[in-house]
Amino acid sequence: MDRRNMPTLRDLASTIRSKNAGVDHITFDIIFKERANFEKVRDAKVLSPAIVAGLLRIPENRVTDFVVFEPANAIKFTIRRERPSGSPGERDVFGSQQYAPLFDVEVP
């Protein structure tokens, strides 16, 4: 497939979000309505702890969990925050503004 016509996570997933998971972590959910889209992304291996760390520009050791959750057609991962939610210098109290780098991940 021509890379210019390659679908992205934004095209295939019904939900891409991030949110607090306690004061020290942010969790990400990528959820698919269609099982075929979930399987396409899962099988393409375009997401892994190393890949999401690169997308988020964080060290890989801050990715604390990475789960392909088959029953929900979902891929979920959690990162450790640089600073606790609401602390001085922390930029996203709710953890809800961190998911945008996932949008343009291309899926062959």
Side-chain angles (χ1 to χ4, degrees):
M1 177 182 268
D2 183 336
R3 287 182 59 81
R4 292 172 298 199
N5 295 323
M6 199 175 297
T8 63
L9 280 181
R10 182 184 345 193
D11 299 324
L12 300 173
S14 58
T15 302
I16 302 174
R17 66 183 176 206
S18 62
K19 58 188 174 186
N20 278 344
V23 297
D24 294 326
H25 291 82
I26 297 172
T27 193
F28 295 75
D29 302 311
I30 306 163
I31 305 168
F32 303 85
K33 282 185 183 172
E34 290 87 26
R35 180 74 180 185
N37 287 345
F38 165 73
E39 290 174 351
K40 180 180 182 86
V41 172
R42 178 198 64 198
D43 296 347
K45 300 196 184 307
V46 295
L47 295 172
S48 69
I51 291 170
V52 298
L55 289 168
L56 299 173
R57 299 180 179 171
I58 62 171
E60 187 176 348
N61 66 2
R62 282 188 45 206
V63 179
T64 62
D65 296 284
F66 186 93
V67 177
V68 176
F69 191 59
E70 304 270 343
N73 293 340
I75 298 170
K76 304 170 72 61
F77 62 92
T78 302
I79 65 169
R80 189 173 40 260
R81 286 178 169 274
E82 213 171 22
R83 297 180 172 106
S85 176
S87 66
E90 194 279 316
R91 302 178 311 267
D92 184 6
V93 173
F94 298 110
S96 61
Q97 300 176 40
Q98 305 302 311
Y99 59 90
L102 300 170
F103 284 166
D104 295 325
V105 171
E106 294 180 329
V107 183

